[in-house]
Amino acid sequence: MFEQIFDAALFDSATRAMIPILLAALGGMICERAGVFQIALEGMMLAGAFAAVAGSYLAISWTLGVVFGIAAGMLISLALAYGTVTRRGDSIVLGIALNLLAMGLTGFLLPQLFDVRGVFQHPRIDGLDRIAIPVLSDIPWIGPVLFDNTLLTYVALLLVPILWVFLFRTPVGLRLRGVGERPLAAETLGVSPTVYKYGAVLASGALAGLAGAQLSLGNVVQFAENMSSGRGWVAVVAVMLGRAHPVGVLAAAALFALAEALGFRFQGNGLPVQITDALPFVVTLLALIIARKRFARLLDLTTAA
Amino acid sequence: MLRRFPDFLGDMSRRALVSPVTFSLFFAFALAGAIVAVTGGDPLAAGEEMVTGAVTGSGLRNTLGRAVPIVGMALAVSIAFRSGIINLGGEGQMVIGGLAGTMVAIYVPGPGYLIVPLAMLAGAVVGAVWGLLPAYGQTWLRLPILITSLLLNYVARAVTGYLVRFHLLDDAVTLTSTRQVPEAARMPKMPVFGGVSLSLILVMVLVALLWMVYTRSVAGYESQMTGFNMRSARYGGIDVEQRTVQVMVVAGAIGGLIGTHLIIGEALRFIDGELVLAGFAWTGLLVSLLAVNRPIPIFITGLFFSGLQIGGLAMQRNAGVSWRLSQVLQAVVIVAVACRLSVWRSERRRAEPSEADAAGVGEV
């Protein structure tokens, strides 16, 4: 029974489920470090998924699709940065409204531009190629799971150590954290919180856009309405659970992805889809309960505010 | 700080022109027009269809009908927002309460004047219980309601989907749906504008009730104070934990009422996934934000947003522009309001400037 469930195919599908969550969560992590509460990940991911499909369809090339995805995510994040940093608006209100904006806009543009309802599939949409890394992909078991994947998978996995070095070993990363933890002190030392917060939010937009591209051009090759289906929110939780640390975020994303993959697997074994769909969210809630001591700051932010 | 109704109309006319809301509405309509033009539509024709579709012919009836869930869900979320509780779980509370109410309407025999209230009550109770989960999550386990209530939406969808698919399925139709609500257990329609659901009265009563609670009662004052600043409210002797639980119960109950209404008053069948499609909980949330969580402005804004959606559907039929444009419009209005200045925040700033800044919640 155990070996029937935990085989290489399961970890393969877990990797696929993990990458969008990881990319978005890394973006959320950068914002968290810069002191911006980022809950627009869901919307930016959805916009990225739509734009990636649109770009890929127009140019018949996934490269342009990915560029479009990044641009769409960044466009929404720009509105968030302007609203929260420049206009000092409420980041929670803006985040919720931008999520709904992305939902409405993609739902509007889908029939308007492509004349379809619900799902857009077309042979012109060029999916992300799987790039097998020579030698590494030949390692039995691990090779096909990790080293025979889309470019965005490698980008996401490499970003974990890169962002760790960036945050904790570079002056820019130090200033970014300073802006988040002690904005007044940072400003006194000549570090502009505005610049760093804008940078962080735009970076999260780019990463969430990439997450969307992986979703609509990597995991499948199509756009479906609301296809982000809560993954952006799971990413928000991953930032919390991972304490805004790259390795922690990776672990949290892996946990949720494993739950999603297990759900698919159980579905294959006859469990109703309605139950398996809920699995990642139930696991997320359970993980929150187990690790509950960590959210004092968010709780202050969302209640005392 | 507590705005009273008689001031409201004078307030409106005095500040209408300089209000960020006016600017935001202009901005949203201009942007929506531009989007229509860019995607190959005729913005003026679309706008005309939208306006005429919302108020002429059966439009007025439909606008009033759709205002029921929008205003209802807005009231539910406003209760929480006023107390500083960010309840994003309206959708789940509506769906799960709606199924409970539907089950009563379908399976409990009896005369309509008993079954309809009983179904509404069942919906309210189950919605309230679903609202209690994140409430206790916050007061016992210190999990932020913002996150837990939202995640529970997906769980509610799964639970109701499972129940409908495996226990309540109507084999006679190809839909994943319950049986039809029997004639006797349906929410009656009033003979105005060609049949508006009786639930409209219920929603209007709720508006009046909440207005009274907010302006005339200790509970309303306390919940408002909690919303302004939880710490000082606690210091002032308000039991914040108990208040949180109460607020979530009421919000969840209203959600369950609306969910039940949507089935026994409108759809007549609980079809898996249908209840979340129209996004009433989220439209309601935007309405509440725009109306700064005040009951009477919520009613007016809710009617307006309902008109936008009904007009949007007419626009889709007659001008070939997707009704989703209405959703875009609604969201842009809120984004613009929040960017121009957040009324919500700025009132709070004035209320507790030093405390808010010291806690670092001012602009995190």
Side-chain angles (χ1 to χ4, degrees):
Chain A
M1 179 68 185
F2 189 79
E3 275 171 22
Q4 249 177 1
I5 289 171
F6 290 90
D7 55 9
L10 178 83
F11 287 98
D12 192 38
S13 87
T15 311
R16 235 174 306 137
M18 178 179 75
I19 299 307
I21 297 173
L22 178 61
L23 281 166
L26 288 175
M29 176 193 77
I30 298 172
C31 287
E32 180 72 19
R33 288 287 178 182
V36 179
F37 185 42
Q38 170 61 281
I39 57 167
L41 295 173
E42 174 83 6
M44 299 191 303
M45 197 194 279
L46 185 64
F50 179 84
V53 160
S56 179
Y57 171 82
L58 288 177
I60 326 183
S61 123
W62 61 259
T63 330
L64 202 76
V66 170
V67 172
F68 267 52
I70 294 175
M74 287 180 82
L75 205 62
I76 294 187
S77 69
L78 187 64
L80 181 71
Y82 174 76
T84 52
V85 182
T86 307
R87 308 295 315 190
R88 311 244 154 156
D90 189 309
S91 64
I92 295 175
V93 171
L94 273 164
I96 294 169
L98 287 171
N99 283 336
L100 294 173
L101 177 64
M103 211 193 270
L105 205 55
T106 52
F108 171 76
L109 290 174
L110 189 64
Q112 224 58 28
L113 295 181
F114 302 114
D115 212 19
V116 292
R117 268 169 204 290
V119 180
F120 179 45
Q121 270 179 320
H122 199 281
R124 272 178 68 116
I125 304 171
D126 181 31
L128 298 171
D129 294 329
R130 278 198 166 217
I131 303 167
I133 296 178
V135 187
L136 288 178
S137 61
D138 294 332
I139 304 171
W141 222 83
I142 299 174
V145 170
L146 280 182
F147 300 110
D148 181 15
N149 262 309
T150 64
L151 181 66
L152 297 188
T153 309
Y154 305 131
V155 169
L157 292 173
L158 281 175
L159 272 174
V160 174
I162 289 172
L163 284 177
W164 183 81
V165 171
F166 167 76
L167 281 175
F168 301 109
R169 291 290 182 272
T170 66
V172 180
L174 177 70
R175 285 178 206 137
L176 183 88
R177 287 185 291 134
V179 164
E181 282 165 34
R182 297 274 181 277
L184 222 61
E187 200 160 6
T188 315
L189 293 173
V191 177
S192 159
T194 308
V195 171
Y196 278 83
K197 286 187 173 180
Y198 259 87
V201 175
L202 286 173
S204 76
L207 287 171
L210 275 182
Q214 168 69 24
L215 213 54
S216 66
L217 294 179
N219 291 9
V220 289
V221 185
Q222 65 177 40
F223 177 82
E225 261 187 57
N226 297 337
M227 72 183 298
S228 49
S229 63
R231 287 185 181 83
W233 289 102
V234 169
V236 171
V237 180
V239 176
M240 293 164 57
L241 281 178
R243 283 181 160 167
H245 189 285
V247 177
V249 166
L250 172 69
L255 175 72
F256 302 145
L258 195 62
E260 198 178 321
L262 272 174
F264 277 132
R265 176 54 56 90
F266 288 143
Q267 210 172 301
N269 290 9
L271 231 76
V273 58
Q274 286 84 358
I275 295 297
T276 57
D277 272 359
L279 198 61
F281 299 103
V282 173
V283 168
T284 307
L285 281 164
L286 289 179
L288 273 172
I289 293 171
I290 291 165
R292 65 178 182 269
K293 294 271 151 64
R294 300 181 173 179
F295 317 124
R297 189 178 153 273
L298 181 69
L299 199 65
D300 281 351
L301 192 68
T302 56
T303 55
Chain B
M1 192 61 56
L2 289 174
R3 294 175 186 218
R4 289 174 204 282
F5 178 57
D7 293 339
F8 171 67
L9 290 176
D11 227 26
M12 278 280 272
S13 53
R14 194 152 26 83
R15 286 207 246 150
L17 284 175
V18 290
S19 157
V21 174
T22 316
F23 173 85
S24 302
L25 284 173
F26 270 113
F27 176 76
F29 277 100
L31 189 68
I35 292 171
V36 172
V38 167
T39 54
D42 177 353
L44 286 179
E48 199 186 326
E49 289 296 342
M50 201 176 222
V51 175
T52 53
V55 292
T56 60
S58 60
L60 198 57
R61 183 192 67 202
N62 294 337
T63 298
L64 285 172
R66 207 179 179 90
V68 170
I70 292 177
V71 173
M73 294 315 292
L75 291 175
V77 83
S78 74
I79 295 168
F81 280 1
R82 269 182 102 95
S83 301
I85 297 164
I86 305 188
N87 172 25
L88 301 185
E91 184 189 285
Q93 291 144 21
M94 180 180 90
V95 169
I96 208 119
L99 184 64
T102 308
M103 282 166 68
V104 168
I106 293 177
Y107 294 106
V108 178
Y113 60 86
L114 279 181
I115 296 306
V116 171
L118 194 65
M120 295 295 269
L121 184 70
V125 168
V126 173
V129 169
W130 200 254
L132 267 181
L133 297 179
Y136 281 128
Q138 179 156 311
T139 56
W140 287 353
L141 305 172
R142 309 217 11 101
L143 302 178
I145 283 183
L146 166 77
I147 294 290
T148 48
S149 63
L150 186 109
L151 292 174
L152 281 170
N153 287 343
Y154 294 95
V155 180
R157 272 189 215 183
V159 169
T160 54
Y162 171 78
L163 286 175
V164 170
R165 180 82 184 74
F166 290 96
H167 296 286
L168 306 167
L169 193 69
D170 179 4
D171 297 324
V173 289
T174 51
L175 299 161
T176 308
S177 148
T178 62
R179 275 163 38 197
Q180 215 174 29
V181 174
E183 198 95 37
R186 292 177 192 171
M187 180 64 75
K189 296 216 188 277
M190 302 179 290
V192 282
F193 303 118
V196 177
S197 172
L198 194 62
S199 304
L200 186 64
I201 301 291
L202 178 78
V203 164
M204 287 165 87
V205 168
L206 274 177
V207 169
L209 216 62
L210 285 176
W211 177 73
M212 299 245 297
V213 168
Y214 289 148
T215 54
R216 301 274 180 275
S217 81
V218 176
Y221 172 76
E222 285 191 0
S223 86
Q224 180 97 355
M225 287 306 107
T226 314
F228 285 146
N229 192 302
M230 203 161 271
R231 217 164 306 172
S232 59
R234 187 175 280 134
Y235 183 72
I238 297 172
D239 186 342
V240 173
E241 277 67 37
Q242 195 195 347
R243 187 64 66 205
T244 302
V245 170
Q246 288 169 354
V247 160
M248 288 299 290
V249 164
V250 178
I254 295 179
L257 277 180
I258 298 301
T260 307
H261 152 76
L262 283 170
I263 306 299
I264 70 171
E266 303 285 339
L268 304 181
R269 281 175 185 280
F270 191 102
I271 305 169
D272 181 23
E274 280 282 298
L275 218 46
V276 300
L277 271 188
F280 291 127
W282 295 104
T283 304
L285 189 141
L286 296 180
V287 165
S288 184
L289 286 175
L290 195 60
V292 204
N293 310 324
R294 294 165 297 167
I296 291 162
I298 281 178
F299 189 74
I300 297 164
T301 314
L303 275 175
F304 175 61
F305 273 34
S306 172
L308 274 184
Q309 296 192 356
I310 294 298
L313 289 169
M315 175 184 77
Q316 175 167 311
R317 276 194 308 274
N318 303 329
V321 176
S322 166
W323 77 274
R324 295 297 208 101
L325 190 68
S326 313
Q327 287 187 328
V328 176
L329 262 174
Q330 293 164 4
V332 170
V333 173
I334 303 299
V335 172
V337 169
C339 281
R340 282 282 294 156
L341 78 145
S342 166
V343 187
W344 216 26
R345 176 69 73 191
S346 65
E347 283 196 356
R348 250 187 230 143
R349 274 269 169 79
R350 259 181 277 127
E352 295 286 343
S354 56
E355 178 75 20
D357 287 350
V361 293
E363 70 262 9
V364 174

